[in-house]
Amino acid sequence: HEEERLSYGELNARANRLAHHLIGLGVRPDQPVAICVARSVAMVVGLLAILKAGGAYLPLDPAYPPARLRQVLDDAAPRVLLADAAGRSALGDDALRDLTVVDL
C-alpha cells in the first residue's frame, strides 16, 4: 500500500499477534469486533486478526457521518474496536467510552 510493503510471512505474523491479543481481550467465536481505520496495511492486518480470533468483523468507514457510525455501533454492540487516528476522530469520544479500543 503506497510505500509500505509486507511479505505474506510478515502479514501472517502481525495478524497472529493481534489475534492473540484480541483473544486475550475476550473475543470469542462470532462475536462482533468493529474496525474503523483508513485503508492501509493495518486494515488488512486487523481484518485477518479478527477472523483468526474467531470474531466477526464489523467494518466502519471513517468517511461515514458520525451519526451513522454510532447507529451501526449501537445496533451491533461490539465490545472491541480496532481503530487508527482517523477512526477515533470519526467516531468521537462518546462512542469510544463503552468499547475496548485497540490502536492500529
Side-chain angles (χ1 to χ4, degrees):
H1 179 260
E2 295 176 356
E3 296 299 317
E4 189 173 5
R5 297 193 183 275
L6 210 60
S7 72
Y8 286 113
E10 291 167 329
L11 174 63
N12 190 48
R14 286 188 191 181
N16 283 342
R17 279 194 303 272
L18 183 54
H20 287 292
H21 182 66
L22 293 175
I23 291 167
L25 291 174
V27 172
R28 301 289 174 248
D30 299 324
Q31 178 183 341
V33 177
I35 181 167
C36 188
V37 297
R39 291 181 181 176
S40 63
V41 170
M43 181 183 75
V44 176
V45 170
L47 292 174
L48 286 174
I50 292 168
L51 294 174
K52 285 176 175 249
Y57 68 88
L58 174 65
L60 301 171
D61 189 336
Y64 281 13
R68 176 65 180 140
L69 294 173
R70 197 163 302 179
Q71 180 185 24
V72 172
L73 282 175
D74 289 344
D75 287 346
R79 288 189 271 162
V80 178
L81 165 73
L82 304 182
D84 60 4
R88 282 179 168 275
S89 175
L91 291 166
D93 292 335
D94 290 341
L96 302 176
R97 283 196 190 136
D98 297 327
L99 296 169
T100 299
V101 181
V102 177
D103 288 314
L104 293 182

